[in-house]
Structures are given as structure tokens and as C-alpha cells.
Amino acid sequence: MAGLGLEGITLAVIVGTLAAIVYSLRILVLLERRISRMDENIERITLRIAKEEELIEKEERKIESMLRSKRKKR
């Protein structure tokens, strides 16, 4: 480093900073992709739960109507 002047040191700092920024952007892109996949999975799970809830509510209505018809017969 003794051979480098002030210009060389400044250039090395700038190049190092740029390399750190590029690496950080790479990590951010990878994280964004991972979060996007997680979001898609959560959405699929939510849709599946909604379908299951609809089936449960349909079954509840069916049971309630059966109970009402039994009460009317008595």
C-alpha cells in the first residue's frame, strides 16, 4: 500500500464501496424472491382454508336443516 498515493486509496475505497453495494443488492433480490415464494404459499394455504370453511358451513347448514325437520315431525 505504500506505493499507492491518495488517488489510489480513494479509488480502492470507491471500488470497495461499490462492491459492497452490489453484494447488498444481490442479497436483497434473493430475500425478495424468498419472501415472494412465502407469500404465494400463504395465499394458497389461505385459499385452502377458505374452501374448507365453506365445506364446514355447508355441512352445518345441512345438519341444522335435518334437526329442524326432525323437530317438526315430533
Side-chain angles (χ1 to χ4, degrees), residues 1-71:
M1 272 292 287
L4 294 178
L6 183 60
E7 295 163 352
I9 293 173
T10 305
L11 183 61
V13 168
I14 290 172
V15 170
T17 303
L18 288 174
I21 291 170
V22 169
Y23 181 75
S24 297
L25 287 173
R26 179 179 175 270
I27 297 298
L28 285 173
V29 168
L30 292 174
L31 286 174
E32 194 276 331
R33 287 180 186 165
R34 182 176 290 177
I35 290 170
S36 175
R37 277 184 275 151
M38 289 170 56
D39 191 37
E40 289 173 3
N41 289 333
I42 289 172
E43 188 174 346
R44 273 191 242 127
I45 290 169
T46 304
L47 291 174
R48 191 177 305 155
I49 289 171
K51 286 180 185 177
E52 287 292 324
E53 267 198 43
E54 288 176 6
L55 290 174
I56 290 169
E57 288 175 356
K58 183 179 177 182
E59 189 67 25
E60 283 178 350
R61 285 191 297 269
K62 181 180 171 184
I63 292 170
E64 287 174 357
S65 68
M66 287 172 50
L67 289 173
R68 279 190 215 117
S69 66
K70 282 186 179 182
R71 286 181 189 159

